[in-house]
Amino acid sequence: MMGNSTSSTFSYFILGAYMYTGPLRYLYFMLTVMTYIVIVISNTSLIVVICMNRSLHEPMYLFLCSLFVNELYGSTGLFPFLLLQILSDIHTVSAPFCFLQIFCLYSYVNVEFCNLAIMSYDRYLAICFPLQYNTRMTSNKVVIFIILIWLYSFVKFLITLSLNIRLTFCGNVINSVFCRNYLIVKLACSDTKVNNIYGLFGTFVSITVPLSPIVFSYIKILKICFSGSKQTRQKAVSTCTPQLVSLLNFSFGCCFEILQSRFDMNRVPNVLRIILSLYFVVLQPLLNPIMYGFQMSKIRNTCKHIFCKMWAGHKDPMQM
C-alpha cells in the first residue's frame, strides 16, 4: 500500500533527508545530546534564577522567563526526536506524532516572535516613558500579555493541525529531517485550497503581528537615542542589543526554513540544508541564555552572587 500513488490515509511518514553515516552516527548522537543538555541546563538555570530572586520580578525579566520556557518547549519538540532518528536505520515517524511535532515547532516560532515583540514594546516604554513605566507596565499586564501570547499561538496552530488531520495523502515521503507543515500538505491528494489560504493568511499574520510593535518600538527608541542624553543612549544599547541580536538571528533561521520549504534547494549541499533547517530551533535556545545571561548586568550579578554563596557554603565544611 505504501508504494501506491492512489489516495490513502498513511499511518506514518518517511523522512527522506537522512543520510547513511555509519559509525559516525554515534558521534552525531553525542553532539546532539550535549547540545540538548546545554540548552536544558542554561535555560532552566535562568528560569530558576529569575523565579527565585524577588529583585528580578520585573516586567523585562518575566518576559525573559517566558522566552526561556519557550526555548525549552521548542527544543524538546525536536531534540528527543532527532536522537531517536540518528540511531535508527529506518527513518519513519507516525502520522499523529508528525502532526504533534508540527504543532510544537510552529507554535514555538510564533511564541518566540511574539515574545520578542512584546519585549521590544516593554523597552520602548522603559526608555521613552521612564517615569510612567511602572504604571504602564504592571505585573498584572505582564501576566496577561504572556498568557495571550501563548494562547494566541496555540489556537492559531490548533487550526492548522485540524486542517491537516482531515487530509488524505498520495505519498508519505518528506524530504526533511523533521516534520514540516508545507511538505505534508504537498503530499495531499484531497483538496488543499483551505489549507493553502489559511497557510498564507497565517504566515501574513505571524509576520505582521509581531513585526508591527517591533518596528514601532525601535523607531521610537532610535529617535530618543539621537535626541537624548548619553545615559539614555547607554541604557538603550545595553538593554536592546541582546533583543536585536536574538531577533535577527531567529529571523534568519526562519527565513531560510520558509525558503527551503517553498523553493527547490537541490543545488544546496544536503549537509548544509540540514544544518540550516535546524538552525532556528538549535542556535536560538543556545544563544538567548548566553546573550541575556552575560549582557544583562542584573542577571549576571545575581548569578555571580548565587555562585559565590554556593562556593562559600561548599568550602565551609571543608574548613571545619
Side-chain angles (χ1 to χ4, degrees):
M1 184 185 74
M2 298 303 161
N4 294 340
S5 60
T6 56
S7 173
S8 177
T9 302
F10 290 95
S11 60
Y12 66 87
F13 294 100
I14 299 168
L15 300 166
Y18 284 94
M19 303 174 293
Y20 177 73
T21 54
L24 279 176
R25 74 170 77 178
Y26 301 108
L27 173 62
Y28 297 146
F29 179 83
M30 290 305 300
L31 290 173
T32 307
V33 167
M34 289 168 63
T35 304
Y36 186 47
I37 289 171
V38 170
I39 288 170
V40 170
I41 291 174
S42 58
N43 284 280
T44 304
S45 299
L46 289 172
I47 291 167
V48 171
V49 166
I50 292 169
C51 291
M52 297 297 288
N53 289 272
R54 293 189 64 84
S55 63
L56 296 177
H57 290 184
E58 297 174 9
M60 179 171 62
Y61 301 108
L62 294 176
F63 288 131
L64 274 177
C65 194
S66 171
L67 193 71
F68 297 142
V69 169
N70 191 46
E71 307 305 355
L72 291 175
Y73 169 64
S75 55
T76 302
L78 177 71
F79 276 89
F81 173 80
L82 272 184
L83 292 170
L84 288 173
Q85 292 297 328
I86 288 169
L87 292 182
S88 178
D89 293 319
I90 303 171
H91 305 292
T92 60
V93 54
S94 68
F97 185 86
C98 196
F99 293 137
L100 178 62
Q101 187 177 61
I102 288 170
F103 173 80
C104 287
L105 294 180
Y106 283 64
S107 57
Y108 156 74
V109 170
N110 210 76
V111 170
E112 190 82 4
F113 272 127
C114 289
N115 217 122
L116 290 171
I118 201 65
M119 286 168 68
S120 67
Y121 178 70
D122 173 71
R123 290 302 82 207
Y124 155 69
L125 291 179
I127 293 165
C128 300
F129 302 97
L131 298 179
Q132 296 94 12
Y133 176 71
N134 289 330
T135 55
R136 290 194 177 199
M137 188 62 79
T138 62
S139 296
N140 287 339
K141 286 182 180 178
V142 171
V143 172
I144 291 168
F145 275 131
I146 291 172
I147 290 171
L148 285 176
I149 286 169
W150 284 83
L151 190 62
Y152 156 70
S153 300
F154 282 170
V155 170
K156 186 169 178 289
F157 288 100
L158 275 173
I159 297 170
T160 302
L161 193 64
S162 65
L163 290 173
N164 285 354
I165 289 170
R166 68 181 181 84
L167 296 174
T168 53
F169 300 99
C170 291
N172 67 337
V173 179
I174 311 168
N175 188 26
S176 177
V177 293
F178 61 92
C179 295
R180 287 149 70 180
N181 186 62
Y182 184 70
L183 298 182
I184 293 288
V185 174
K186 278 175 70 176
L187 295 173
C189 296
S190 51
D191 185 18
T192 59
K193 189 181 293 183
V194 176
N195 295 69
N196 293 331
I197 292 170
Y198 183 75
L200 289 171
F201 171 75
T203 303
F204 175 77
V205 170
S206 295
I207 293 170
T208 54
V209 167
L211 191 63
S212 302
I214 288 169
V215 172
F216 170 81
S217 300
Y218 283 114
I219 287 174
K220 294 290 186 181
I221 289 169
L222 280 172
K223 284 183 179 178
I224 289 289
C225 286
F226 285 122
S227 61
S229 63
K230 184 180 178 181
Q231 186 179 3
T232 304
R233 284 195 295 273
Q234 286 176 341
K235 181 182 178 183
V237 170
S238 65
T239 59
C240 293
T241 299
Q243 290 180 25
L244 283 170
V245 171
S246 179
L247 179 65
L248 292 172
N249 174 70
F250 195 63
S251 298
F252 168 78
C254 290
C255 281
F256 182 82
E257 179 59 20
I258 292 168
L259 289 173
Q260 185 171 239
S261 295
R262 302 277 170 167
F263 300 102
D264 182 16
M265 303 291 284
N266 287 330
R267 292 185 179 182
V268 180
N270 197 38
V271 175
L272 182 61
R273 280 210 313 270
I274 291 170
I275 291 169
L276 289 175
S277 71
L278 296 171
Y279 183 97
F280 77 102
V281 79
V282 173
L283 197 64
Q284 190 74 0
L286 286 170
L287 179 70
N288 277 344
I290 295 169
M291 286 298 301
Y292 292 107
F294 288 104
Q295 282 286 97
M296 309 291 278
S297 58
K298 207 165 182 180
I299 292 180
R300 187 173 64 246
N301 292 336
T302 304
C303 289
K304 283 181 181 176
H305 178 68
I306 292 170
F307 179 76
C308 289
K309 282 180 70 176
M310 288 173 63
W311 180 252
H314 179 68
K315 286 180 71 176
D316 285 344
M318 292 174 65
Q319 290 173 354
M320 291 173 65

